[in-house]
Amino acid sequence: MILIALSVAAMLCALSPAVLFCINLRHYRVPAARNGLKLPAISVLIPARDEETSIEAAVTSVLASHNVDVEVIVMDDGSTDRTSAIVAALAVRDARVRLEHAPVLPAGWNGKQHACWSLAHVARFPLLCFVDADVRLEPLALGKMAAFLLRSESGLVSGFPLQVTKTWMEWLLLPLIHFVLLGFLPISQMRKGTDPAFSAGCGQFLMVTGEAYRASGGHAEIKATMHDGLMLPKLLRQHGYRTDLADLTGLAQCRMYTTARQVWQGLAKNATEGIAAPVRILPISLLLVLGQVLPILLAIWIVTHHASGFVIGCMVAAVCGAWLPRLLAAGRFQQDWRGAVLHPFGILMLLAVQWYAFGRKLMGGAVSWKDRAYAGE
């Protein structure tokens, strides 16, 4: 009876996100071209702290944008490297580039949120697009996303760029972004209204109307967060604005981290505002273990032991349900196939990060990022 119960539980917990993932693939699309729409000018706002290896490529990719007027403002947030000098040289060559220096970080603020808030105050154009310094945009990205924002009648649109992964922890963990997003967020329900429960976004690329940003309070209302990709869309939805998501795989790329340590710290820094939130971590952990890890364990057990046809059928369905989203995502979002093959191990590693972050929060430990420590999350 225990084996039957576990088999059924594994099957249901695996198939539920797999079915939603497949449904969501139809809704999570690449934004279309403008098709005659008159697009507003865009202020591309880049917070930068010690980004000398990436900032020039980020800025020049924006300057190559087609079909839209842009300005690029880089907020140097206390860099100790050549970030400012590089941007200043770019500004000499192209008047669309501006270099600003962030004010002293006030108490209670996260560094990135304060830089973004400061950037919004010096922007001149009606659309604000917050882009991380490690993002590279394709020439049509801004125009297509601006058209998507207008067509969807949203206050904010976002999307996940192609995630460049080279080290083992990068390709094992970072592709799970799409698995969690499309396996657990009903996009059609998100688009029906402004319920904050269906908030989602990516902090690497957030495009918002200036009117919606100011009316909602912008980053000043989420000043302590480490997760503006989630919290800024949630803030706008709380104020009655629609938000939407588009597939940026072919329009932008980003390499967030370069070492296993950075991956661990980067995912842990904002975990307790997502999966590792106190009210979510236990049920989500149970759902992921039952649906993504247990199927392979039971399948191994069944190979070496006798089992009924019903149990075998449940296990086949569970194993297929567990791997189907990862295999589809690997093809659709250009992800490393090794991460898809080792999917259960990736889930276990992801949960280890979440429980580490949760334990740190319980212990009152500080979060460190970009050489700054923040007391709690």
Side-chain angles (χ1 to χ4, degrees), residues 244-369:
D244 212 332
L245 293 168
D247 181 7
L248 293 182
T249 302
L251 294 175
Q253 63 175 271
C254 175
R255 189 178 184 195
M256 284 192 286
Y257 313 115
T258 58
T259 67
R261 179 180 177 84
Q262 287 180 356
V263 174
W264 181 279
Q265 291 182 333
L267 294 180
K269 76 178 187 298
N270 55 21
T272 57
E273 294 175 293
I275 293 176
V279 297
R280 287 192 286 268
I281 187 166
L282 189 57
I284 289 180
S285 295
L286 185 61
L287 181 61
L288 289 176
V289 169
L290 288 175
Q292 311 304 316
V293 180
L294 183 60
I296 187 63
L297 297 178
L298 290 179
I300 293 172
W301 188 91
I302 288 172
V303 169
T304 58
H305 296 76
H306 175 74
S308 68
F310 177 77
V311 169
I312 293 174
C314 288
M315 281 305 93
V316 171
V319 169
C320 291
W323 259 281
L324 179 62
R326 290 303 311 277
L327 295 175
L328 291 174
R332 169 79 177 265
F333 306 119
Q334 303 176 38
Q335 297 172 355
D336 194 303
W337 287 95
R338 291 172 292 181
V341 171
L342 297 175
H343 175 58
F345 299 98
I347 291 293
L348 288 175
M349 183 67 73
L350 175 67
L351 290 176
V353 173
Q354 306 305 306
W355 280 96
Y356 161 78
F358 180 68
R360 182 182 61 193
K361 182 179 180 68
L362 290 180
M363 299 295 292
V367 180
S368 295
W369 191 249

Side-chain angles (χ1 to χ4, degrees), residues 152-157 185-200 233-245:
S152 64
E153 299 181 341
S154 298
L156 177 149
V157 292
L185 174 71
I187 292 180
S188 60
Q189 188 67 31
M190 175 195 72
R191 288 177 175 160
K192 288 181 179 178
T194 61
D195 188 341
F198 299 104
S199 303
K234 183 176 181 179
L235 175 69
L236 264 72
R237 293 175 77 87
Q238 289 171 339
H239 283 79
Y241 291 95
R242 292 178 178 270
T243 66
D244 212 332
L245 293 168

Side-chain angles (χ1 to χ4, degrees), residues 68-142:
V68 66
D69 293 327
V70 299
E71 66 171 354
V72 188
I73 311 175
V74 177
M75 184 67 68
D76 182 17
D77 188 16
S79 296
T80 58
D81 62 6
R82 297 183 57 252
T83 297
S84 282
I86 292 170
V87 177
L90 291 170
V92 171
R93 299 200 298 266
D94 195 316
R96 293 176 294 171
V97 180
R98 289 160 54 196
L99 172 66
E100 300 283 348
H101 294 276
V104 175
L105 183 64
W109 278 82
N110 169 272
K112 179 186 177 183
Q113 314 319 330
H114 184 246
C116 288
W117 176 246
S118 301
L119 280 163
H121 281 75
V122 295
R124 295 185 295 134
F125 292 153
L127 280 189
L128 311 178
C129 187
F130 298 97
V131 177
D132 283 356
D134 46 15
V135 172
R136 310 288 176 263
L137 299 179
E138 293 297 318
L140 295 177
L142 290 173

